[in-house]
Amino acid sequence: MVVLRRARLRFTAVALVTLVASLAAPTAQDADDAVRTVRVSAERFTFTPSEIRVPADVPVRIELKSEDTDHGFRIVGTDVDVVIPKRSRGAAVVTVTLAEGEYTFECSQICGAGHAFMRGVIIASAEDGE
Amino acid sequence: MLLGATAAAQTGSPPAPEPRTGISGYMEAHYNKPEFEDGRLDFHRFVLLVTHSFSDRLRFVGELELEHAFVEGLEEAGELELEQAYVDFLLDRSFNVRAGMMLMPVGIINERHEPPVFYGVERPFVDTVIVPTTWFEVGAGVHGEVGRGLRYRAFLTAPLNAAEFSAEEGLRDGRQKGAEANAGRLAATGRVELVSIPGLTLGASLWSGKSGFEFRPRFDVNVHVAEADARYARDRLELRGQFAQVWIDNAATLNQALAFRIGVDPNLPSAMRGFYAEGGYRFISGARIGDVGAFARYENFDTQFRMPDGYLPLRAFDRDALVVGATYWPEPDIAIKADVSWVRNRSSVIEAPNSWNLGIGWWF
Ligand SMILES: [Cu+2]
């Protein structure tokens, strides 16, 4: 509990996160064209890429698709937590604006024996992300 | 630096926080029809996965498996096995600590064995007689990921028991399975995995332990397992390959000690080897009726690949197999499978059994 509260505090103190989670068909490009999009694929038991570099303080759209079962995408210490639908059932989309720093993300839906290995990092930096 | 509160506007899929305690699992039922024998209906695996989050950094994962549906005292029918039950201390992406009952990080199947994610009713022969899946022991160790997708895990666990090895099934019966396992000398195991290229997983594993602890006077039976694998899955295509070799040191002394104990020389090898290559393709994908894929796998495995001095290999243990079949996924978590398996060996006397198999497996 203590750990969680500290994470929340850090989050509200340093980050302004706008979260738009929607079930979108992969072709539905409703987001602003100017918004940078990062595509992440999830499968037992890996996110690819597992290291995501984004620019700090600007909105970034993260599009998540699964190759197999339901996975989750949770950014630890934030309110971001969405279900990535099963294969062929579209994508989950979140738009985040992150302050400079490193954020751990992980699968939040039990997806099998190696579920605990499904983690990654978002590095938000002042210099341009990739 | 930005200061501000969350502006969380959400539509569509709601956030689904991981429940503090969750239950999931998978099941598979098989029909096996070996040539010249009656068919068998087997509820092969019934597995329940339980997870609990004590906090963001402290997790418990448990996997309880009932094999062959029915357990008797003498273990002839089925087995009730605790395959995983560990606590993860999540410290940092690059360094985490795990302790408890853990899966050995060796090969493709051992850690990734939910029925919808592999082709074929039964697991590959190489992942049965060379890498003894499901392979699990009690221990502790570290795991993590560095950079763009370089993962590692390194564990110390109870070793295999060489007194239970066999010439036909390899290391399989040597697994102690955490049952008051002898831990006089711990085994070490580790794996590195590269997952940075989309769709591609490259892995290499090692296992090394002293397995002769049951013998008096004691002598060393060092066992080493080396394994390398690759898996590529993109859209409809899936390719995988694996190579595994086992070395048993002091096999001649081990054979003599076992012959003295059980009255028959078990003819254990000094090395075993196996490899396979598999290709699968979903020729229907994302359709209203689901997905349909076909696959072919070639396997080569020899449980008497090298013999100790003075021993000759039985050619019946030098085997290869061609497995061809199809999977129908009415939905991504249900797999209905059918395949034909042709097994050959190098013996002119003993025939290897061919079989055809049907199976249904699901994840929930
Ligand atoms: Cu997952």
Side-chain angles (χ1 to χ4, degrees):
Chain A
M1 243 18 256
V2 177
V3 176
L4 206 107
R5 200 168 301 135
R6 200 182 302 139
R8 278 261 157 75
L9 241 143
R10 170 176 162 243
F11 162 69
T12 36
V14 300
L16 171 70
V17 172
T18 312
L19 160 67
V20 183
S22 62
L23 253 178
T27 46
Q29 296 289 335
D30 42 28
D32 184 352
D33 280 347
V35 174
R36 182 189 298 253
T37 297
V38 179
R39 288 190 176 80
V40 177
S41 106
E43 66 147 23
R44 293 182 171 102
F45 298 103
T46 319
F47 287 106
T48 321
S50 57
E51 186 185 274
I52 303 170
R53 290 175 183 273
V54 300
D57 307 325
V58 289
V60 175
R61 192 169 172 274
I62 305 174
E63 195 180 292
L64 303 129
K65 284 176 84 172
S66 168
E67 293 297 321
D68 41 44
T69 189
D70 282 322
H71 294 281
F73 178 77
R74 183 169 91 99
I75 304 179
V76 177
T78 75
D79 291 342
V80 176
D81 188 350
V82 291
V83 176
I84 308 170
K86 294 178 190 182
R87 182 186 170 92
S88 305
R89 297 196 181 165
V93 178
V94 287
T95 302
V96 295
T97 305
L98 296 167
E100 212 171 335
E102 285 195 21
Y103 302 82
T104 299
F105 65 89
E106 60 183 21
C107 180
S108 53
Q109 294 280 314
I110 305 169
C111 55
H115 164 64
F117 290 124
M118 281 191 77
R119 299 168 86 213
V121 66
I122 304 177
I123 301 165
S125 53
E127 316 91 72
D128 221 5
E130 293 160 76
Chain B
M1 183 179 280
L2 278 170
L3 291 167
T6 27
Q10 293 167 15
T11 52
S13 105
E18 186 167 21
R20 287 176 58 83
T21 301
I23 191 160
S24 279
Y26 69 88
M27 272 111 232
E28 48 189 345
H30 298 159
Y31 175 75
N32 306 102
K33 174 66 183 80
E35 211 176 5
F36 314 122
E37 287 175 38
D38 285 342
R40 287 187 302 265
L41 276 166
D42 184 22
F43 202 99
H44 198 150
R45 294 186 177 90
F46 178 97
V47 181
L48 289 177
L49 219 88
V50 183
T51 61
H52 180 77
S53 295
F54 299 99
S55 74
D56 267 355
R57 291 179 181 275
L58 263 170
R59 305 273 171 78
F60 159 75
V61 174
E63 193 177 352
L64 191 68
E65 168 160 336
L66 176 61
E67 273 199 27
H68 309 299
F70 174 71
V71 181
E72 268 184 333
L74 288 171
E75 211 202 69
E76 271 307 305
E79 289 171 281
L80 185 64
E81 298 175 336
L82 185 64
E83 296 199 337
Q84 296 197 80
Y86 61 77
V87 173
D88 246 343
F89 300 85
L90 302 172
L91 307 173
D92 186 76
R93 178 174 176 248
S94 62
F95 187 83
N96 306 282
V97 176
R98 175 173 294 186
M101 179 81 92
M102 307 179 299
L103 294 174
M104 298 299 96
V106 182
I108 297 176
I109 291 282
N110 202 52
E111 295 177 292
R112 191 173 180 279
H113 49 231
E114 294 70 25
V117 299
F118 64 91
Y119 279 107
V121 174
E122 302 292 346
R123 296 175 179 179
F125 293 104
V126 172
D127 283 309
T128 307
V129 299
I130 308 293
V131 180
T133 73
T134 309
W135 188 4
F136 51 91
E137 287 294 348
V138 176
V142 295
H143 63 95
E145 183 173 325
V146 289
R148 302 199 116 200
L150 182 65
R151 293 172 162 191
Y152 73 91
R153 20 205 187 276
F155 303 137
L156 290 173
T157 72
L160 292 162
N161 181 1
E164 303 291 335
F165 293 170
S166 74
E168 184 170 11
E169 298 222 297
L171 310 178
R172 219 171 158 68
D173 291 333
R175 295 170 297 171
Q176 297 197 78
K177 301 181 175 182
E180 295 181 21
N182 180 297
R185 298 272 186 80
L186 292 176
T189 180
R191 176 173 172 87
V192 287
E193 219 168 58
L194 190 69
V195 294
S196 48
I197 299 161
L200 182 68
T201 304
L202 296 174
S205 315
L206 284 173
W207 186 97
S208 183
K210 292 193 191 312
S211 298
F213 51 80
E214 257 201 21
F215 299 99
R216 297 291 179 277
R218 209 183 261 267
F219 62 95
D220 276 345
V221 182
N222 291 327
V223 177
H224 309 280
V225 182
E227 183 276 346
D229 56 79
R231 194 169 63 81
Y232 181 76
R234 217 66 222 274
D235 298 329
R236 293 161 180 259
L237 180 70
E238 177 162 8
L239 304 171
R240 50 172 86 183
Q242 179 170 308
F243 177 91
Q245 182 151 345
V246 174
W247 292 266
I248 302 170
D249 293 352
N250 250 340
T253 317
L254 175 61
N255 281 329
Q256 284 149 21
L258 282 169
F260 181 71
R261 181 195 278 198
I262 55 179
V264 192
D265 194 309
N267 226 30
L268 292 171
S270 51
M272 304 189 259
R273 189 189 73 174
F275 56 87
Y276 65 84
E278 178 190 288
Y281 188 78
R282 296 190 190 215
F283 47 89
I284 298 174
S285 177
R288 187 174 285 272
I289 58 146
D291 288 20
V292 179
F295 80 102
R297 178 170 66 232
Y298 172 76
E299 299 196 56
N300 187 305
F301 52 108
D302 186 354
T303 47
Q304 291 191 331
F305 179 59
R306 294 279 182 269
M307 296 302 287
D309 285 345
Y311 286 82
L312 284 173
L314 283 175
R315 296 171 72 79
F317 293 140
D318 185 0
R319 292 161 275 181
D320 64 358
L322 180 66
V323 185
V324 175
T327 301
Y328 168 48
W329 292 267
E331 82 106 39
D333 287 334
I334 301 176
I336 298 165
K337 305 175 179 184
D339 64 49
V340 185
S341 154
W342 291 278
V343 185
R344 291 184 308 180
N345 62 40
R346 308 254 178 269
S347 161
S348 51
V349 196
I350 304 162
E351 281 235 29
N354 298 326
S355 64
W356 62 271
N357 310 284
L358 294 172
I360 178 165
W362 60 93
W363 162 262
F364 69 91

